Amino acid sequence: MGIRMGLVIQACVLIFVVSSQSVKPPKIYFLHVTSEVDYRFAKTVVTSKVVNKEPTASEAVFDLTLPNEAFITAFKLTINGKEIEGKVKEKEQAKQEFEAAKAKGQSAGHIVAKPRETNKFQIQVNVAAQEKVTFVLTYRELLKRTNGLYNHVIYINPGQVVDDLKINVFIKESSNITIIKTPQIRNELLPEGPEGTNKLAVVDRISPTKAFVSYEPSPLEQESGISGQFIVQYDVDRSNDAGDLLFMDGYFVHFLAPEGIEPMPMDIIFVLDKSGSMGRTKMDQLKESMMKILGDVKAEDKIFIMAFESSLHYWKQEFVQATPENIMASKNYVNNINSGGGTNIDLALKEGIKRLTQISGNKGRAPVLVFLTDGEATVGETNTERILENLKRENEAEIPIFSLAFGQGADFDIVKRVAAQNNGFGRKIYEDSDAALQIAGFYKEISTVLMKNVSFNYIDGTLYDTEVTTTKFNTYFKGSEMVVAGKVKDLNKLQSGLTVNGTGVGNREIEIPVPRMWCTILPWPPRPPMPFTTPTPPVTTRNPSIMEKLWAYLTIKQLLKDKDALDSTNEIKTLNDKIIQLSLKYQFVTPLTSMVVTLPDQTKANPSEVQTSEKNRETADLAGLSSIPNLRASMPMNFPRMSFNKNLNLPGASMQMGGVAAPAFNNLMAIAPPRAPPRGWRNPFPTTTRPPFTTRTTTLKTTTTTISSRPIVRKLEKSQIPSFGITLPGLETPLCFDLPMNQSKVYNLMSSSSPAKVFKMNGRSGHDMIDRITVTEDVQTVSYDAQPTDASKTPVFQTLLETTSLVARNTPLGLQFLANFPARNNDINGILALFKDYSGTLVDILIESGEFVAYVNIESSSGALTVLKATTKEFGDGICYYLDSGTLQQFYTNISQFEVTS
């Protein structure tokens, strides 16, 4: 039987395949995804570890598919204790090296991207008996703002239960994060209606501009394997129209998404393919989507519907106002469209532009053409270059065209080039059950125009003119974002302010001033998180900053789009040279570069390179590809719509859907009897949805979460639940830890030596955590037992000792404790008191070796400073900074000192 491990980030698919009928496949025992989002620019590190537990060697295939929106920057394989790294090279050179490795019988992997294909990578590895292999993939992408939210999508499919499965996302922004949420796990199909909330995701607001999201299921919670998209959605404060202007190490980026602008009335023409190939399912899906779209057209808009095959067919001969009566009539027309005839793309596009041009003189209205086809041009002009040239002559008004390629037979090349040449964008629509939702979602993105002809006007001499991305935008849609990046020549001039101009309703000029000193200057290089006792070695190579890499990323994206709109060979070659130069300098795998990985002989497995064209790729997805040598099971190399087909059957191979989840507790809603909260009580366990902090005057968005009446009992393991947490002055997030306590032993957890109040809490250690506490207050002694099945997370006990608060509450494995020290307290003793003399500050959270690491400064009352290095873990309804046993030895030298004898 074959088995597959897959992982998609946005649309990145990671697949680990082993094919053998005589031995069990290597086990995936570790799968971590860490994503660091700095100012909307995400760096994602995927680390997968497998082990072959069998007494014989087994062959593994590691396969990757990456969408055009993300660029691979690094790939590393560790096998037999040796690290092998991939190298990004010019595509033709990489291909030659790949072929040479094949000729020598070496194992090699080749990541290659083409304009009409997603990137592909494949490497086959012999995994020796009892051997472990580690794969590490790194890539970058700029999160796109759509419908008012940045969406970070992670699709995981390990195909088996993984002992250590985790996703961590750390978001750092320059403006306050106003909303952050995690919808329910989504399969590959778009949902209809509200998605709900992922109750297992932990969302922690570290500060107004920083958030941490964790998603970590135990093996029990994974059942047979989790499948779906884990999604983080967020937005930032938009109260100031000037946007975010950031500068770092000579480069800048300007994010702008102004709100409060009156929407422009639109003149919309829908050019719909009704040729013979649109019959049956496609036509039904088109009609369904148009019902949704026409229902969303605003009353102030005007619409025109034209269907085409070999000839043209009209609903009406003029644009009509979107009144309820006209919308109803337009729906009836669409419902009665029948398919048949050829595909005359040239005629349809020219006529659509002609009709829009005739009324585009209407002041203050936004013209938009939406073009949908499922095939290639078969009637009239069929040459793509001449179709584009004809359209260019017709569209002197530069009306934006938004194109949809419907189904696997569609000519996505012409659809993409039509959009790029005419200030729009192209989108591929897949023939799945959610096709109508795909089309309707596409229209929602462009349904509200706020401004036309937007230009960013920087003072002359501010920037290097040849090293800046586009500063002009044909159309700005509500819920989207305009981004400009470049190299700064004069920072003082950038700080002097600028203006952004555009045209709004009634052709009214809209000016958005960016005031003086609005630019935020970010330090580079960042300060080291820990003090160094030895001199730092001199830097011999320049490490590009985040802002420079973002500029390079955006520049390559723009050059690729510009190339789609060109027909001159010389101009295309010039752009290709620029793309290659930037790709090699910044180590991006782009459509003109590739990555090659060559393995030593001891890990040799038959290499292969699989390339399929855009037109036949989806057919190969369903049928499976047989070009991988020595594999009994064929496997699909790419999956439509960034996902796996639900009912895909492969001969000789089994495919399971898998995914990732993370714990979260319900909000603390009530206090358990018999104790009432003391006066001045503050719940020390943070909730998953703390109100966002803000320093600007703004109305923050909120979300409503529906909690089921029957809470879900978590199936967590001890490694996921720290026993103790302590919040120090100056540190919102708790430090947390475990201690090597002996089962059935009783320990002094906290006691007070204050003469004003006698207090003692002792705890009996159970199998995993403390299972019973005995509390003495003044002369009364009461015992409380853990209730692991209590999913409400109601506190078992809580108290306030002067300024120190203490909470004990249930987990599925026993009791968890949090002591909150808002100020130093010398009257407290016990396990929870050893940090009582310290205050703390968070230095930073960084990705190290694929994991998030928090650096925390703690300072004693004597002024002694200690830097703690901690990992992030779930704690209560949020996260904590987990201190390992080595770090704890600085404070807890002998656990037996806290033992209490009967």
Side-chain angles (χ1 to χ4, degrees):
M1 297 293 290
I3 192 165
R4 164 168 326 194
M5 181 275 284
L7 169 68
V8 179
I9 306 294
Q10 202 59 304
C12 170
V13 184
L14 228 73
I15 306 169
F16 178 76
V17 180
V18 176
S19 178
S20 175
Q21 294 182 344
S22 58
V23 297
K24 293 182 180 179
K27 176 177 174 57
I28 306 164
Y29 65 92
F30 181 101
L31 180 57
H32 283 196
V33 181
T34 57
S35 192
E36 186 176 20
V37 183
D38 286 298
Y39 320 110
R40 282 142 257 191
F41 193 42
K43 174 186 177 182
T44 302
V45 180
V46 181
T47 304
S48 176
K49 299 180 181 180
V50 301
V51 59
N52 179 16
K53 295 184 176 181
E54 296 302 302
T56 58
S58 179
E59 183 180 275
V61 176
F62 187 78
D63 189 12
L64 168 73
T65 301
L66 191 74
N68 290 329
E69 290 306 309
F71 292 151
I72 295 173
T73 59
F75 177 80
K76 182 171 67 176
L77 170 69
T78 303
I79 186 168
N80 295 330
K82 181 178 177 59
E83 290 187 354
I84 303 103
E85 295 190 19
K87 303 296 182 183
V88 178
K89 300 184 179 182
E90 193 274 326
K91 186 170 67 175
E92 191 57 38
Q93 178 187 355
K95 185 174 178 63
Q96 291 174 4
E97 293 189 14
F98 176 81
E99 296 294 343
K102 284 174 60 177
K104 295 177 181 178
Q106 293 178 312
S107 182
H110 186 199
I111 296 180
V112 59
K114 295 185 177 181
R116 293 192 293 154
E117 297 180 8
T118 53
N119 305 334
K120 298 175 185 146
F121 171 75
Q122 181 190 105
I123 188 166
Q124 300 175 38
V125 179
N126 283 329
V127 184
Q130 308 301 316
E131 186 63 66
K132 295 180 179 180
V133 181
T134 301
F135 303 97
V136 181
L137 168 78
T138 305
Y139 73 91
R140 287 190 176 270
E141 62 179 328
L142 179 67
L143 300 187
K144 182 181 178 183
R145 188 170 186 256
T146 304
N147 297 323
L149 291 172
Y150 302 104
N151 285 265
H152 195 37
V153 181
I154 298 174
Y155 185 110
I156 286 219
N157 180 27
Q160 58 180 271
V161 173
V162 180
D163 293 338
D164 190 349
L165 183 57
K166 180 189 298 185
I167 294 178
N168 284 334
V169 179
F170 179 55
I171 301 169
K172 179 169 62 178
E173 284 289 346
S174 55
S175 298
N176 292 344
I177 299 172
T178 56
I179 182 172
I180 182 167
K181 57 184 181 178
T182 55
Q184 291 177 347
I185 293 291
R186 180 196 298 170
N187 63 17
E188 71 271 21
L189 302 179
L190 295 176
E192 187 164 15
E195 294 188 79
T197 301
N198 186 342
K199 296 177 182 178
L200 299 181
V202 176
V203 179
D204 195 80
R205 297 295 191 97
I206 296 174
S207 76
T209 60
K210 294 180 180 179
F212 187 90
V213 181
S214 180
Y215 188 61
E216 181 182 2
S218 68
L220 288 173
E221 289 175 308
Q222 296 174 48
E223 297 179 352
S224 60
I226 304 172
S227 173
Q229 298 176 6
F230 174 75
I231 305 170
V232 177
Q233 298 175 324
Y234 77 96
D235 198 20
V236 299
D237 182 14
R238 307 281 171 185
S239 62
N240 194 300
D241 285 339
D244 296 313
L245 182 60
L246 310 175
F247 172 87
M248 178 188 285
D249 192 34
Y251 290 83
F252 86 101
V253 62
H254 191 177
F255 298 100
L256 183 63
E259 295 187 346
I261 299 174
E262 182 182 357
M264 300 181 70
M266 298 170 62
D267 296 321
I268 313 163
I269 183 166
F270 298 99
V271 181
L272 309 177
D273 188 345
K274 65 177 292 287
S275 60
S277 58
M278 283 291 294
R280 296 183 181 179
T281 303
K282 288 183 185 177
M283 184 55 69
D284 290 340
Q285 291 172 334
L286 173 61
K287 291 177 180 180
E288 183 185 351
S289 63
M290 286 301 297
M291 296 304 104
K292 297 177 185 295
I293 289 172
L294 291 170
D296 290 337
V297 174
K298 299 182 294 295
E300 60 269 23
D301 295 342
K302 292 182 178 181
I303 59 174
F304 188 103
I305 301 175
M306 182 175 68
F308 74 95
E309 23 93 8
S310 301
S311 56
L312 305 178
H313 304 265
Y314 305 94
W315 168 47
K316 292 181 180 295
Q317 287 293 334
E318 67 281 334
F319 283 81
V320 299
Q321 201 72 40
T323 63
E325 296 77 15
N326 285 335
I327 292 297
M328 181 64 68
S330 67
K331 289 182 177 180
N332 289 335
Y333 171 78
V334 172
N335 267 329
N336 289 316
I337 293 176
N338 295 314
S339 59
T343 308
N344 197 332
I345 291 176
D346 181 62
L347 177 63
L349 286 173
K350 288 191 299 184
E351 179 67 12
I353 288 296
K354 179 181 177 181
R355 295 281 182 157
L356 272 174
T357 303
Q358 288 173 351
I359 67 164
S360 64
N362 293 348
K363 293 186 176 181
R365 300 184 67 85
V368 168
L369 189 150
V370 178
F371 168 61
L372 184 145
T373 182
D374 81 321
E376 301 178 359
T378 61
V379 177
E381 181 58 71
T382 59
N383 181 275
T384 297
E385 300 303 329
R386 285 196 287 271
I387 292 174
L388 292 170
E389 186 60 35
N390 292 341
L391 186 58
K392 184 185 296 184
R393 284 196 299 267
E394 194 73 43
N395 194 15
E396 292 182 355
E398 298 184 346
I399 292 170
I401 299 177
F402 298 92
S403 306
L404 297 174
F406 198 165
Q408 70 180 51
D411 187 350
F412 188 55
D413 178 61
I414 189 171
V415 164
K416 183 173 61 174
R417 294 181 65 187
V418 162
Q421 181 179 284
N422 295 276
N423 304 301
F425 55 84
R427 187 72 55 81
K428 194 160 190 177
I429 302 299
Y430 296 91
E431 292 180 73
D432 292 324
S433 60
D434 66 339
L437 289 175
Q438 296 177 55
I439 298 173
F442 168 86
Y443 177 75
K444 186 177 180 181
E445 293 181 37
I446 63 173
S447 63
T448 305
V449 175
L450 297 183
M451 288 192 293
K452 297 190 304 181
N453 304 320
V454 182
S455 62
F456 288 62
N457 305 300
Y458 300 90
I459 298 173
D460 288 344
T462 299
L463 311 174
Y464 289 93
D465 294 339
T466 60
E467 298 186 70
V468 61
T469 60
T470 184
T471 58
K472 298 186 183 299
F473 299 84
N474 180 274
T475 311
Y476 169 60
F477 296 101
K478 182 179 180 180
S480 65
E481 185 170 54
M482 296 172 285
V483 185
V484 179
K487 188 174 183 179
V488 177
K489 182 184 293 185
D490 190 328
L491 179 58
N492 290 329
K493 289 183 177 179
L494 184 66
Q495 290 274 59
S496 298
L498 63 131
T499 59
V500 179
N501 298 93
T503 302
V505 175
N507 266 3
R508 185 175 69 250
E509 184 72 16
I510 297 176
E511 181 175 292
I512 302 171
V514 179
R516 290 176 54 85
M517 309 306 293
W518 185 254
C519 178
T520 301
I521 300 176
L522 302 170
W524 183 262
R527 295 179 180 178
M530 297 183 67
F532 292 96
T533 56
T534 58
T536 303
V539 177
T540 56
T541 58
R542 182 178 179 276
N543 184 24
S545 67
I546 297 168
M547 217 58 64
E548 183 177 348
K549 291 177 180 177
L550 176 54
W551 163 79
Y553 173 95
L554 289 170
T555 300
I556 293 172
K557 288 290 184 184
Q558 180 180 309
L559 292 173
L560 290 169
K561 184 176 180 180
D562 291 346
K563 194 177 74 164
D564 285 334
L566 295 177
D567 51 19
S568 168
T569 303
N570 290 334
E571 291 178 346
I572 290 174
K573 183 180 184 305
T574 299
L575 291 190
N576 282 345
D577 291 342
K578 291 181 180 179
I579 294 169
I580 292 172
Q581 181 183 8
L582 287 171
S583 301
L584 296 178
K585 179 176 180 180
Y586 295 98
Q587 289 292 285
F588 289 147
V589 178
T590 68
L592 297 178
T593 55
S594 301
M595 179 177 284
V596 171
V597 181
T598 304
L599 302 180
D601 288 340
Q602 61 266 30
T603 59
K604 186 175 70 175
N606 293 320
S608 67
E609 178 190 27
V610 179
Q611 298 184 28
T612 55
S613 69
E614 185 72 24
K615 295 177 184 178
N616 66 20
R617 178 166 57 86
E618 293 180 19
T619 303
D621 291 343
L622 300 176
L625 299 177
S626 59
S627 52
I628 305 175
N630 293 345
L631 289 184
R632 291 189 176 93
S634 299
M635 54 169 288
M637 296 301 299
N638 301 293
F639 296 87
R641 297 193 60 258
M642 311 180 294
S643 58
F644 299 106
N645 294 288
K646 293 183 294 183
N647 300 318
L648 182 63
N649 294 315
L650 300 175
S654 65
M655 185 167 116
Q656 297 176 328
M657 309 290 280
V660 176
F665 293 98
N666 291 328
N667 293 343
L668 183 60
M669 303 299 293
I671 304 300
R675 305 192 57 82
R679 180 174 298 178
W681 169 259
R682 182 177 71 86
N683 175 18
F685 279 91
T687 63
T688 57
T689 53
R690 293 184 205 150
F693 299 88
T694 180
T695 57
R696 300 177 182 174
T697 301
T698 181
T699 300
L700 301 182
K701 302 174 185 177
T702 59
T703 56
T704 302
T705 302
T706 302
I707 301 177
S708 61
S709 58
R710 182 174 295 178
I712 300 173
V713 178
R714 296 297 313 280
K715 300 176 182 178
L716 302 178
E717 297 176 343
K718 183 63 190 83
S719 61
Q720 295 176 281
I721 313 178
S723 294
F724 306 106
I726 298 173
T727 302
L728 303 179
L731 195 65
E732 275 197 45
T733 302
L735 300 177
C736 57
F737 51 89
D738 293 298
L739 292 173
M741 296 181 292
N742 295 319
Q743 188 171 352
S744 300
K745 289 284 187 179
V746 177
Y747 296 89
N748 174 19
L749 302 181
M750 181 177 281
S751 58
S752 172
S753 58
S754 170
K757 183 175 184 178
V758 175
F759 175 83
K760 182 184 296 183
M761 175 189 282
N762 294 333
R764 184 185 69 189
S765 180
H767 182 271
D768 295 301
M769 304 172 75
I770 298 293
D771 62 4
R772 167 176 282 193
I773 56 173
T774 302
V775 179
T776 300
E777 292 190 83
D778 296 328
V779 295
Q780 183 179 7
T781 300
V782 182
S783 294
Y784 305 92
D785 289 326
Q787 299 293 331
T789 58
D790 178 10
S792 67
K793 304 300 179 291
T794 302
V796 171
F797 175 85
Q798 60 187 33
T799 192
L800 185 66
L801 302 174
E802 297 181 2
T803 60
T804 300
S805 60
L806 173 64
V807 169
R809 72 173 180 179
N810 285 311
T811 76
L813 301 176
L815 293 174
Q816 187 178 64
F817 299 85
L818 176 65
N820 184 11
F821 292 90
R824 295 187 173 101
N825 189 338
N826 293 323
D827 295 328
I828 302 297
N829 299 294
I831 285 176
L832 290 164
L834 289 185
F835 286 97
K836 66 182 181 181
D837 192 36
Y838 289 88
S839 60
T841 55
L842 173 66
V843 178
D844 207 350
I845 296 180
L846 305 173
I847 290 183
E848 295 184 5
S849 301
E851 293 292 322
F852 279 108
V853 174
Y855 288 93
V856 180
N857 284 338
I858 64 169
E859 184 178 2
S860 67
S861 56
S862 63
L865 185 68
T866 304
V867 180
L868 302 180
K869 181 178 179 181
T871 55
T872 53
K873 277 198 177 185
E874 173 189 351
F875 195 84
D877 289 319
I879 64 166
C880 64
Y881 302 140
Y882 184 76
L883 306 176
D884 61 21
S885 58
T887 302
L888 283 175
Q889 287 178 1
Q890 303 175 60
F891 308 94
Y892 293 79
T893 56
N894 182 13
I895 186 64
S896 63
Q897 66 179 302
F898 299 105
E899 288 185 13
V900 178
T901 56
S902 301

